[in-house]
Amino acid sequence: MDQSLSLQSVPAWFVVLPDTAAAAVPAAKALSFATRRLLHASGRPWIVGRWDPETAVTGAHRDARVVVIGEHAVPEADAERAAAAAAGTASPPELDRLAGRAGSFHLIASCPGRVRVQGGVVTLRRVFHAEATTPGGPVSVASDRADVLAELVGAGLDEPRVALEMLASGVPYPWHGDPLWRGVHPVPGGHRLTLDAAGRARTTRWWSPPDPVVPLAAGAVRLKEALAESVAVRTRGRDLVSSDLGGLDSTAVCCTAARGGAKVVAYTAAIHDEAGDDVYWAERTVRALGSVEHHVVPAREVAMTFDGIDTLRDILDTPSIITVDRNRRMGIIETAAARGSGLHLTGLGGDELLAGTPARLHTLLLHHPFVALHAIRGYAAKYRWARRAVLSRLVDRRSYGAWLDRLARDLTGPAAPVEEPLLDWAVPPRMPPWATPDAVAAARDVIRTRRTPTGARGRNRGEHRELVAMDGISQWVRHIGQMSAPLGIAVSAPYYDAPVIEAALAVRAEERITPWRYKPLIVEAMRGVVPEVSRTRGTKANATFEEEAGLRRHRRSLLALCEDSRLVRLGLADGKVLRDWCRRALSAETESYRLHPTIACEVWLRSREMAPLPAADRKA
């Protein structure tokens, strides 16, 4: 793997350095690839990298500095007030209040004796840290990209973590989305990283989800206001923005932008499935709005799953499931960039936040048993859950640690059935049939021995499951953003802003999550925003046909990835079994999804072998 691929080729990244002379070595290396830098009050390098100066605002007060980088509407005066607060206390709440505002950004502070770095409440704006070896001893540095940090400190590939990444149905918390380099550590969503004067790193929590106690009607008002502000933060001052206009979630975002006065160009992708009704509902919405430029992408022009899978050249800092659908998802973004949009709005994040998970009922059963049982009966009928399986999940009170222990034991067991009740900590992932015994042993060892943090993501199964889902899908947005950056267009997901998440999660679980209504919270919140002709839509398109047809159409490309497979080289995959699977006709619902993580790993490993290309050339 090239030790400067990302440092040279990625158009946007930054490294944060502690205020110590020992940080001079990593600072010098980062500066040799950087186009921008900010300094500590001491004059030493503080933040080094590449970023658009229009996305950054800086405040200073005596020896304290604060910078906000990303999508935000923070004025310089507020950054200066935050710097003044940071100068006066070791843990200023003013910084946490600033970090919790609408938008998606990093907040970085330099104070005498410490540096503080934090991203969002989920893992869309990530922070990583690692120790660099220097003549003055080890010193911790941080970055928004794991690959940049790995190259900076010379970290090697963590092969056991690669094995875990092959799990079908998702890598479990706390490993999902983590770096695949030894010694590169993630900062969890809702946590901050502090680097002290000696360059030592410490992670602490700054955000916790609210208690779900707000009635639906009041919560809808809060959500409407929070979403409007989050969209306005991104659209304010822009001549034109683009937006997805597909399901209910993206429709809410698109209409909020249009009602806010932005010039919106909306895109709807048709699908081959005759039951797919996104175009029908989008056209009704646009006719009622009367102010949105709308483009329908015909199904024949939409790339299938696995399109171009053997020729991708994106530089991502971790493997991404989005890889298998890369060209299908990027088609609209590329078209929007060509239209002149510098910002593309998406509804990603809405499903896990607004539909929630029935696993919330596992806890609700203890406090409101009749309400919970009524809802559980509804879900059981809707999804055809077996009564015995439902009862088994409801009486199961295992901790998350115990669930992980069972997962490690059963890694090669049968996959959970499609009709598995959604009441456990997660759908238990399984190693795919082509995983070698070494891969299974490595994955099992990671699960049993590397648990930091050791507890669950949430206070109960439902909260845990929702936050983990937000972390996971927000990684899709992050990776799509990394794919889009060379085009000069930002991809933005307002549902992941802290105020939006808080407004939704504060609503009573039994009112937000119900089998009787489709996403009732957003339906109520969008009164007067989404036209009445489409506000109460209760359907969602399914791209199963694109998956199965894509497998048939792009089988040759999949088989090409099996040739000289990097996973086979590492001893993690059985090449013959993998090729046999790629040759088969597979069901999208029960079989082909097992391929996705492995293909994502294979593509990512190959991408790390590409020749570096200067970022300026990538933009051209």
Side-chain angles (χ1 to χ4, degrees):
M1 292 189 176
D2 192 281
Q3 288 300 303
S4 62
L5 170 65
S6 300
L7 283 164
Q8 291 191 56
S9 304
V10 171
W13 55 268
F14 64 77
V15 171
V16 182
L17 302 145
D19 191 5
T20 172
V25 172
K29 182 172 182 179
L31 282 165
S32 66
F33 298 102
T35 58
R36 303 192 183 280
R37 65 175 179 173
L38 296 173
L39 304 178
H40 291 286
S42 66
R44 296 188 182 104
W46 170 33
I47 307 174
V48 174
R50 301 189 185 118
W51 62 85
D52 181 350
E54 294 184 1
T55 66
V57 62
T58 304
H61 181 82
R62 295 199 298 266
D63 290 343
R65 306 284 186 270
V66 167
V67 64
V68 179
I69 303 177
E71 301 168 358
H72 62 87
V74 178
E76 186 176 329
D78 286 2
E80 289 175 351
R81 277 193 290 271
T89 176
S91 182
E94 181 68 26
L95 290 180
D96 290 340
R97 284 192 289 269
L98 187 59
R101 286 192 182 186
S104 176
F105 51 85
H106 287 91
L107 173 64
I108 309 166
S110 168
C111 316
R114 66 191 182 280
V115 171
R116 171 168 155 162
V117 192
Q118 59 198 92
V121 300
V122 295
T123 53
L124 177 55
R125 295 279 173 173
R126 301 220 66 180
V127 178
F128 304 94
H129 64 98
E131 280 193 351
T133 302
T134 76
V139 59
S140 290
V141 294
S143 178
D144 64 327
R145 287 191 56 125
D147 51 353
V148 165
L149 193 58
E151 291 174 7
L152 194 65
V153 304
L157 185 68
D158 188 346
E159 294 178 11
R161 271 294 290 114
V162 177
L164 191 68
E165 208 71 19
M166 295 169 63
L167 280 170
S169 295
V171 177
Y173 177 82
W175 301 281
H176 59 286
D178 279 6
L180 302 192
W181 286 278
R182 292 188 296 273
V184 179
H185 307 288
V187 176
H191 288 67
R192 68 177 77 85
L193 176 72
T194 302
L195 306 177
D196 67 17
R200 293 183 294 262
R202 181 170 60 94
T203 299
T204 53
R205 177 183 291 276
W206 69 270
W207 180 86
S208 295
D211 292 326
V213 296
V214 177
L216 180 70
V221 173
R222 294 184 187 179
L223 178 61
K224 181 178 182 177
E225 294 171 348
L227 188 61
E229 177 59 21
S230 290
V231 171
V233 160
R234 293 158 167 88
T235 60
R236 195 176 292 131
R238 292 183 180 270
D239 295 330
L240 179 148
V241 299
S242 56
S243 176
D244 291 334
L245 181 56
L248 187 58
D249 305 331
S250 61
T251 298
V253 170
C254 180
C255 292
T256 298
R259 300 286 193 192
K263 167 61 177 175
V264 179
V265 181
Y267 293 89
T268 305
I271 62 175
H272 293 84
D273 188 345
E274 292 181 1
D277 55 359
D278 279 354
V279 173
Y280 168 79
W281 289 103
E283 289 177 340
R284 286 167 63 96
T285 300
V286 169
R287 281 196 299 269
L289 282 173
S291 60
V292 171
E293 177 185 320
H294 185 220
H295 301 275
V296 175
V297 183
R300 65 180 180 277
E301 296 179 13
V302 179
M304 297 285 189
T305 301
F306 302 117
D307 179 64
I309 197 71
D310 59 333
T311 59
L312 300 183
R313 294 185 60 82
D314 301 301
I315 301 177
L316 308 180
D317 62 345
T318 60
S320 177
I321 292 293
I322 209 71
T323 298
V324 300
D325 275 327
R326 190 266 186 205
N327 287 350
R328 184 162 69 89
R329 291 185 177 271
M330 285 296 295
I332 282 178
I333 296 170
E334 291 166 353
T335 302
R339 172 66 179 81
S341 174
L343 175 79
H344 187 78
L345 296 167
T346 176
L348 285 171
D351 279 340
E352 58 269 30
L353 187 64
L354 302 170
T357 172
R360 285 273 187 180
L361 302 173
H362 188 272
T363 300
L364 188 67
L365 187 66
L366 299 176
H367 308 288
H368 302 283
F370 295 109
V371 173
L373 286 171
H374 179 62
I376 289 168
R377 281 196 294 267
Y379 277 115
K382 183 176 182 178
Y383 295 123
R384 300 180 180 178
W385 294 346
R387 182 176 300 179
R388 178 176 294 180
V390 170
L391 181 61
S392 173
R393 298 298 176 273
L394 291 177
V395 300
D396 180 8
R397 296 288 156 179
R398 281 178 300 161
S399 68
Y400 185 61
W403 183 87
L404 286 175
D405 289 338
R406 181 176 295 185
L407 171 64
R409 185 194 69 192
D410 297 339
L411 279 181
T412 57
V418 174
E419 63 275 11
E420 171 73 14
L422 304 176
L423 299 170
D424 210 341
W425 289 102
V427 175
R430 296 290 185 252
M431 292 298 283
W434 49 87
T436 63
D438 285 347
V440 174
R444 183 171 284 133
D445 183 65
V446 169
I447 295 171
R448 285 174 171 167
T449 64
R450 302 191 199 178
R451 298 184 188 178
T452 304
T454 56
R457 178 72 163 95
R459 293 168 291 185
N460 52 60
R461 294 185 185 198
E463 186 174 271
H464 167 88
R465 196 159 180 158
E466 287 175 359
L467 290 173
V468 168
M470 289 182 219
D471 285 341
I473 306 301
S474 69
Q475 292 289 319
W476 292 12
V477 179
R478 184 170 178 271
H479 289 135
I480 293 171
Q482 292 177 359
M483 295 170 181
S484 304
L487 301 174
I489 185 171
V491 176
S492 190
Y495 286 113
Y496 288 123
D497 287 11
V500 176
I501 290 175
E502 289 169 357
L505 294 187
V507 174
R508 293 170 180 163
E510 63 270 28
E511 295 188 76
R512 178 171 63 94
I513 304 159
T514 170
W516 319 115
R517 296 179 65 190
Y518 183 65
K519 298 182 179 177
L521 179 58
I522 195 66
V523 169
E524 294 303 316
M526 289 297 102
R527 289 185 185 273
V529 178
V530 173
E532 286 301 301
V533 294
S534 53
R535 181 177 64 86
T536 57
R537 174 188 177 184
T539 61
K540 184 178 178 65
N542 186 305
T544 299
F545 178 91
E546 276 69 11
E547 166 95 10
E548 295 179 352
L551 180 63
R552 292 192 298 270
R553 181 176 298 180
H554 302 298
R555 194 181 306 280
R556 182 174 296 178
S557 297
L558 282 170
L559 290 171
L561 285 180
C562 296
E563 298 303 320
D564 194 23
S565 163
R566 278 39 172 192
L567 288 168
V568 172
R569 281 192 204 173
L570 292 172
L572 301 177
D574 183 316
K576 181 181 183 304
V577 178
L578 180 58
R579 281 191 297 272
D580 288 346
W581 265 74
C582 290
R583 291 190 180 105
R584 290 169 49 187
L586 302 173
S587 163
E589 296 288 347
T590 60
E591 294 177 305
S592 67
Y593 76 93
R594 297 187 181 188
L595 281 171
H596 294 185
T598 295
I599 298 302
C601 284
E602 184 68 37
V603 170
W604 182 79
L605 287 168
R606 289 170 182 250
S607 75
R608 303 309 304 174
E609 300 169 357
M610 294 190 299
L613 185 67
D617 292 347
R618 287 174 58 85
K619 290 182 179 179

